[in-house]
Amino acid sequence: MRPCFACLVLLLCLLGQSNLLGQANLLGQAKQTSRVEIEKEIEFANVDGISLRLDLHLPEEVKGAAVIVYIHGGGWQNGSKSSCPIRWLTEGGFVVASISYRLTHQAIFPAQIHDCKAAVRWLRANADRYGYQTERIGVAGSSAGGMLAALMATSGDVEVLEGDVGGTLEFSSRVQAAVDYYGATDFVLRSVTQPSRANKPGSVVFKLLGGPADEKIDAAKLASAVTHISPDDPPLMVLHGRKDQTVLPDQTERIIERYNQAGLSITAVFEKEAGHGGNVFYQGMNREFVTAFFKRHLN
């Protein structure tokens, strides 16, 4: 039976009402005193002359702060790290690293996940320089970035997705909590339910995989977070609009199903009236819930 997930009720049940509201109150206090510093255009790797960079959004107190990596959307072909809709997490005491990655006109998959993992390794290698802690790192992403964030969560033991971008291979690329904003998690399913976006020449998935998902089956599976789920995967939070026609809600339903089957921790928010993206996912209670999720699992 497919589970029914009610947005607010499920969040309160899974995170704990008193814990969640208490953390939200602390966040409200932080908003009154927080000061954010930004260090931009820090190169964390260079691949074939392509400079991969990140922007560090630093809270007022950096020492001992947990780090959250943000991965931008744009269909893996557009977008920029300068668009970081979760920078407000600094108000909760987190360091936010908004990263770039190679787009599909520069390289096909798995280059994108290799770059994301390189950023996490760089952050761990440079922790002493800034003073943040990297024992537990979170990741979040929107749309195409949400797909990569979910894949970061489930591919901690997948060697072919690790890559050697940027060096620092002695450091772990694993993350300890992840938030996926309306990202695709099963490209095999998507080739069936959204063939125009997964199989059609020129579509975003066609460009990502270097061919149609219904023919590039191995690549489609490799790029799917659901393929790699294992018992040691970290807690995952997923947010999706019920009226999303760009990435259908069945993508989030699929990873919920698979996480539940594996006995893993997953928190789901379905916005009944939302489409693909929008301020509703980054404001109000959703903002508070995401902050509380990361506080619970990273602090």
Side-chain angles (χ1 to χ4, degrees), residues 162-184:
E162 187 65 31
D164 58 3
V165 173
T168 61
L169 298 179
E170 67 273 24
F171 292 90
S172 173
S173 67
R174 281 183 173 267
V175 297
Q176 284 67 50
V179 171
D180 163 17
Y181 287 96
Y182 40 87

PDB file of all heavy atoms in Angstrom, residues 162-184:
ATOM      1  N   GLU A 162      32.780   7.943  -6.949  1.00  0.00           N
ATOM      2  CA  GLU A 162      33.674   8.739  -6.114  1.00  0.00           C
ATOM      3  C   GLU A 162      34.536   9.672  -6.961  1.00  0.00           C
ATOM      4  O   GLU A 162      34.652  10.857  -6.685  1.00  0.00           O
ATOM      5  CB  GLU A 162      34.573   7.826  -5.276  1.00  0.00           C
ATOM      6  CG  GLU A 162      35.415   8.565  -4.250  1.00  0.00           C
ATOM      7  CD  GLU A 162      34.591   9.228  -3.176  1.00  0.00           C
ATOM      8  OE1 GLU A 162      33.502   8.709  -2.844  1.00  0.00           O
ATOM      9  OE2 GLU A 162      35.016  10.281  -2.667  1.00  0.00           O
ATOM     10  N   GLY A 163      35.172   9.132  -8.004  1.00  0.00           N
ATOM     11  CA  GLY A 163      36.050   9.937  -8.838  1.00  0.00           C
ATOM     12  C   GLY A 163      37.324  10.336  -8.104  1.00  0.00           C
ATOM     13  O   GLY A 163      37.537   9.989  -6.938  1.00  0.00           O
ATOM     14  N   ASP A 164      38.173  11.087  -8.806  1.00  0.00           N
ATOM     15  CA  ASP A 164      39.405  11.570  -8.191  1.00  0.00           C
ATOM     16  C   ASP A 164      39.587  13.067  -8.417  1.00  0.00           C
ATOM     17  O   ASP A 164      40.695  13.594  -8.405  1.00  0.00           O
ATOM     18  CB  ASP A 164      40.614  10.816  -8.746  1.00  0.00           C
ATOM     19  CG  ASP A 164      40.752  10.931 -10.263  1.00  0.00           C
ATOM     20  OD1 ASP A 164      39.932  11.640 -10.882  1.00  0.00           O
ATOM     21  OD2 ASP A 164      41.678  10.327 -10.814  1.00  0.00           O
ATOM     22  N   VAL A 165      38.473  13.770  -8.606  1.00  0.00           N
ATOM     23  CA  VAL A 165      38.513  15.207  -8.862  1.00  0.00           C
ATOM     24  C   VAL A 165      39.069  15.937  -7.643  1.00  0.00           C
ATOM     25  O   VAL A 165      38.654  15.693  -6.512  1.00  0.00           O
ATOM     26  CB  VAL A 165      37.103  15.739  -9.193  1.00  0.00           C
ATOM     27  CG1 VAL A 165      37.100  17.268  -9.284  1.00  0.00           C
ATOM     28  CG2 VAL A 165      36.605  15.123 -10.492  1.00  0.00           C
ATOM     29  N   GLY A 166      40.016  16.815  -7.876  1.00  0.00           N
ATOM     30  CA  GLY A 166      40.518  17.681  -6.813  1.00  0.00           C
ATOM     31  C   GLY A 166      41.492  17.046  -5.851  1.00  0.00           C
ATOM     32  O   GLY A 166      42.000  17.713  -4.950  1.00  0.00           O
ATOM     33  N   GLY A 167      41.742  15.762  -5.988  1.00  0.00           N
ATOM     34  CA  GLY A 167      42.642  15.118  -5.045  1.00  0.00           C
ATOM     35  C   GLY A 167      42.000  14.978  -3.674  1.00  0.00           C
ATOM     36  O   GLY A 167      40.800  14.719  -3.560  1.00  0.00           O
ATOM     37  N   THR A 168      42.764  15.196  -2.626  1.00  0.00           N
ATOM     38  CA  THR A 168      42.316  15.053  -1.223  1.00  0.00           C
ATOM     39  C   THR A 168      41.553  13.753  -1.012  1.00  0.00           C
ATOM     40  O   THR A 168      40.572  13.702  -0.260  1.00  0.00           O
ATOM     41  CB  THR A 168      41.472  16.256  -0.759  1.00  0.00           C
ATOM     42  OG1 THR A 168      40.286  16.366  -1.568  1.00  0.00           O
ATOM     43  CG2 THR A 168      42.255  17.547  -0.862  1.00  0.00           C
ATOM     44  N   LEU A 169      42.002  12.700  -1.702  1.00  0.00           N
ATOM     45  CA  LEU A 169      41.267  11.434  -1.646  1.00  0.00           C
ATOM     46  C   LEU A 169      41.369  10.752  -0.292  1.00  0.00           C
ATOM     47  O   LEU A 169      40.645   9.795  -0.025  1.00  0.00           O
ATOM     48  CB  LEU A 169      41.773  10.494  -2.748  1.00  0.00           C
ATOM     49  CG  LEU A 169      41.570  10.985  -4.179  1.00  0.00           C
ATOM     50  CD1 LEU A 169      42.129   9.972  -5.170  1.00  0.00           C
ATOM     51  CD2 LEU A 169      40.105  11.265  -4.468  1.00  0.00           C
ATOM     52  N   GLU A 170      42.258  11.242   0.556  1.00  0.00           N
ATOM     53  CA  GLU A 170      42.372  10.663   1.897  1.00  0.00           C
ATOM     54  C   GLU A 170      41.215  11.088   2.797  1.00  0.00           C
ATOM     55  O   GLU A 170      41.018  10.528   3.879  1.00  0.00           O
ATOM     56  CB  GLU A 170      43.701  11.059   2.546  1.00  0.00           C
ATOM     57  CG  GLU A 170      43.858  12.532   2.880  1.00  0.00           C
ATOM     58  CD  GLU A 170      44.407  13.371   1.732  1.00  0.00           C
ATOM     59  OE1 GLU A 170      44.244  12.952   0.562  1.00  0.00           O
ATOM     60  OE2 GLU A 170      44.980  14.445   2.009  1.00  0.00           O
ATOM     61  N   PHE A 171      40.418  12.068   2.342  1.00  0.00           N
ATOM     62  CA  PHE A 171      39.278  12.537   3.118  1.00  0.00           C
ATOM     63  C   PHE A 171      37.987  11.914   2.582  1.00  0.00           C
ATOM     64  O   PHE A 171      37.848  11.661   1.394  1.00  0.00           O
ATOM     65  CB  PHE A 171      39.179  14.064   3.066  1.00  0.00           C
ATOM     66  CG  PHE A 171      40.290  14.758   3.778  1.00  0.00           C
ATOM     67  CD1 PHE A 171      41.455  15.101   3.108  1.00  0.00           C
ATOM     68  CD2 PHE A 171      40.187  15.047   5.128  1.00  0.00           C
ATOM     69  CE1 PHE A 171      42.495  15.740   3.763  1.00  0.00           C
ATOM     70  CE2 PHE A 171      41.212  15.692   5.797  1.00  0.00           C
ATOM     71  CZ  PHE A 171      42.376  16.032   5.115  1.00  0.00           C
ATOM     72  N   SER A 172      37.033  11.702   3.474  1.00  0.00           N
ATOM     73  CA  SER A 172      35.771  11.079   3.110  1.00  0.00           C
ATOM     74  C   SER A 172      34.859  12.067   2.393  1.00  0.00           C
ATOM     75  O   SER A 172      34.831  13.258   2.699  1.00  0.00           O
ATOM     76  CB  SER A 172      35.068  10.560   4.363  1.00  0.00           C
ATOM     77  OG  SER A 172      33.765  10.096   4.059  1.00  0.00           O
ATOM     78  N   SER A 173      34.092  11.551   1.444  1.00  0.00           N
ATOM     79  CA  SER A 173      33.076  12.361   0.767  1.00  0.00           C
ATOM     80  C   SER A 173      31.676  12.046   1.287  1.00  0.00           C
ATOM     81  O   SER A 173      30.677  12.549   0.755  1.00  0.00           O
ATOM     82  CB  SER A 173      33.116  12.113  -0.740  1.00  0.00           C
ATOM     83  OG  SER A 173      32.714  10.782  -1.042  1.00  0.00           O
ATOM     84  N   ARG A 174      31.577  11.224   2.297  1.00  0.00           N
ATOM     85  CA  ARG A 174      30.263  10.865   2.839  1.00  0.00           C
ATOM     86  C   ARG A 174      29.585  12.055   3.498  1.00  0.00           C
ATOM     87  O   ARG A 174      30.239  12.924   4.068  1.00  0.00           O
ATOM     88  CB  ARG A 174      30.392   9.732   3.868  1.00  0.00           C
ATOM     89  CG  ARG A 174      30.555   8.352   3.259  1.00  0.00           C
ATOM     90  CD  ARG A 174      30.595   7.299   4.353  1.00  0.00           C
ATOM     91  NE  ARG A 174      30.588   5.948   3.790  1.00  0.00           N
ATOM     92  CZ  ARG A 174      29.489   5.233   3.595  1.00  0.00           C
ATOM     93  NH1 ARG A 174      28.313   5.745   3.921  1.00  0.00           N
ATOM     94  NH2 ARG A 174      29.555   4.023   3.079  1.00  0.00           N
ATOM     95  N   VAL A 175      28.264  12.067   3.437  1.00  0.00           N
ATOM     96  CA  VAL A 175      27.476  13.064   4.149  1.00  0.00           C
ATOM     97  C   VAL A 175      26.621  12.358   5.189  1.00  0.00           C
ATOM     98  O   VAL A 175      26.344  11.167   5.083  1.00  0.00           O
ATOM     99  CB  VAL A 175      26.607  13.888   3.189  1.00  0.00           C
ATOM    100  CG1 VAL A 175      27.476  14.677   2.225  1.00  0.00           C
ATOM    101  CG2 VAL A 175      25.624  13.001   2.431  1.00  0.00           C
ATOM    102  N   GLN A 176      26.208  13.120   6.197  1.00  0.00           N
ATOM    103  CA  GLN A 176      25.490  12.526   7.323  1.00  0.00           C
ATOM    104  C   GLN A 176      24.019  12.928   7.407  1.00  0.00           C
ATOM    105  O   GLN A 176      23.287  12.461   8.287  1.00  0.00           O
ATOM    106  CB  GLN A 176      26.215  12.886   8.632  1.00  0.00           C
ATOM    107  CG  GLN A 176      27.482  12.080   8.863  1.00  0.00           C
ATOM    108  CD  GLN A 176      28.597  12.390   7.870  1.00  0.00           C
ATOM    109  OE1 GLN A 176      28.939  13.545   7.649  1.00  0.00           O
ATOM    110  NE2 GLN A 176      29.164  11.346   7.269  1.00  0.00           N
ATOM    111  N   ALA A 177      23.577  13.772   6.506  1.00  0.00           N
ATOM    112  CA  ALA A 177      22.155  14.140   6.404  1.00  0.00           C
ATOM    113  C   ALA A 177      21.962  14.822   5.057  1.00  0.00           C
ATOM    114  O   ALA A 177      22.876  15.492   4.557  1.00  0.00           O
ATOM    115  CB  ALA A 177      21.727  15.079   7.537  1.00  0.00           C
ATOM    116  N   ALA A 178      20.785  14.653   4.457  1.00  0.00           N
ATOM    117  CA  ALA A 178      20.551  15.222   3.129  1.00  0.00           C
ATOM    118  C   ALA A 178      19.120  15.715   2.989  1.00  0.00           C
ATOM    119  O   ALA A 178      18.188  15.111   3.534  1.00  0.00           O
ATOM    120  CB  ALA A 178      20.848  14.182   2.043  1.00  0.00           C
ATOM    121  N   VAL A 179      18.971  16.814   2.256  1.00  0.00           N
ATOM    122  CA  VAL A 179      17.656  17.361   1.918  1.00  0.00           C
ATOM    123  C   VAL A 179      17.558  17.458   0.399  1.00  0.00           C
ATOM    124  O   VAL A 179      18.386  18.100  -0.245  1.00  0.00           O
ATOM    125  CB  VAL A 179      17.429  18.744   2.551  1.00  0.00           C
ATOM    126  CG1 VAL A 179      16.141  19.374   2.008  1.00  0.00           C
ATOM    127  CG2 VAL A 179      17.351  18.630   4.071  1.00  0.00           C
ATOM    128  N   ASP A 180      16.552  16.805  -0.145  1.00  0.00           N
ATOM    129  CA  ASP A 180      16.307  16.783  -1.584  1.00  0.00           C
ATOM    130  C   ASP A 180      15.050  17.587  -1.866  1.00  0.00           C
ATOM    131  O   ASP A 180      13.945  17.177  -1.507  1.00  0.00           O
ATOM    132  CB  ASP A 180      16.156  15.327  -2.048  1.00  0.00           C
ATOM    133  CG  ASP A 180      15.505  15.186  -3.418  1.00  0.00           C
ATOM    134  OD1 ASP A 180      15.444  16.182  -4.165  1.00  0.00           O
ATOM    135  OD2 ASP A 180      15.046  14.063  -3.739  1.00  0.00           O
ATOM    136  N   TYR A 181      15.233  18.751  -2.503  1.00  0.00           N
ATOM    137  CA  TYR A 181      14.090  19.539  -2.946  1.00  0.00           C
ATOM    138  C   TYR A 181      13.717  19.105  -4.365  1.00  0.00           C
ATOM    139  O   TYR A 181      14.426  19.403  -5.322  1.00  0.00           O
ATOM    140  CB  TYR A 181      14.440  21.027  -2.972  1.00  0.00           C
ATOM    141  CG  TYR A 181      14.575  21.716  -1.636  1.00  0.00           C
ATOM    142  CD1 TYR A 181      15.819  21.882  -1.040  1.00  0.00           C
ATOM    143  CD2 TYR A 181      13.458  22.250  -0.992  1.00  0.00           C
ATOM    144  CE1 TYR A 181      15.957  22.563   0.170  1.00  0.00           C
ATOM    145  CE2 TYR A 181      13.584  22.925   0.218  1.00  0.00           C
ATOM    146  CZ  TYR A 181      14.835  23.076   0.794  1.00  0.00           C
ATOM    147  OH  TYR A 181      14.968  23.755   1.985  1.00  0.00           O
ATOM    148  N   TYR A 182      12.624  18.378  -4.495  1.00  0.00           N
ATOM    149  CA  TYR A 182      11.977  17.985  -5.754  1.00  0.00           C
ATOM    150  C   TYR A 182      12.963  17.531  -6.831  1.00  0.00           C
ATOM    151  O   TYR A 182      12.907  17.949  -7.985  1.00  0.00           O
ATOM    152  CB  TYR A 182      11.074  19.122  -6.286  1.00  0.00           C
ATOM    153  CG  TYR A 182      11.628  20.535  -6.154  1.00  0.00           C
ATOM    154  CD1 TYR A 182      12.457  21.095  -7.137  1.00  0.00           C
ATOM    155  CD2 TYR A 182      11.314  21.321  -5.044  1.00  0.00           C
ATOM    156  CE1 TYR A 182      12.952  22.376  -7.026  1.00  0.00           C
ATOM    157  CE2 TYR A 182      11.821  22.606  -4.919  1.00  0.00           C
ATOM    158  CZ  TYR A 182      12.635  23.127  -5.903  1.00  0.00           C
ATOM    159  OH  TYR A 182      13.134  24.409  -5.779  1.00  0.00           O
ATOM    160  N   GLY A 183      13.861  16.628  -6.461  1.00  0.00           N
ATOM    161  CA  GLY A 183      14.813  16.069  -7.418  1.00  0.00           C
ATOM    162  C   GLY A 183      14.390  14.686  -7.896  1.00  0.00           C
ATOM    163  O   GLY A 183      13.616  13.987  -7.241  1.00  0.00           O
ATOM    164  N   ALA A 184      14.917  14.285  -9.047  1.00  0.00           N
ATOM    165  CA  ALA A 184      14.658  12.938  -9.573  1.00  0.00           C
ATOM    166  C   ALA A 184      15.534  11.937  -8.832  1.00  0.00           C
ATOM    167  O   ALA A 184      16.702  12.200  -8.554  1.00  0.00           O
ATOM    168  CB  ALA A 184      14.966  12.883 -11.063  1.00  0.00           C
TER     169      ALA A 184
END
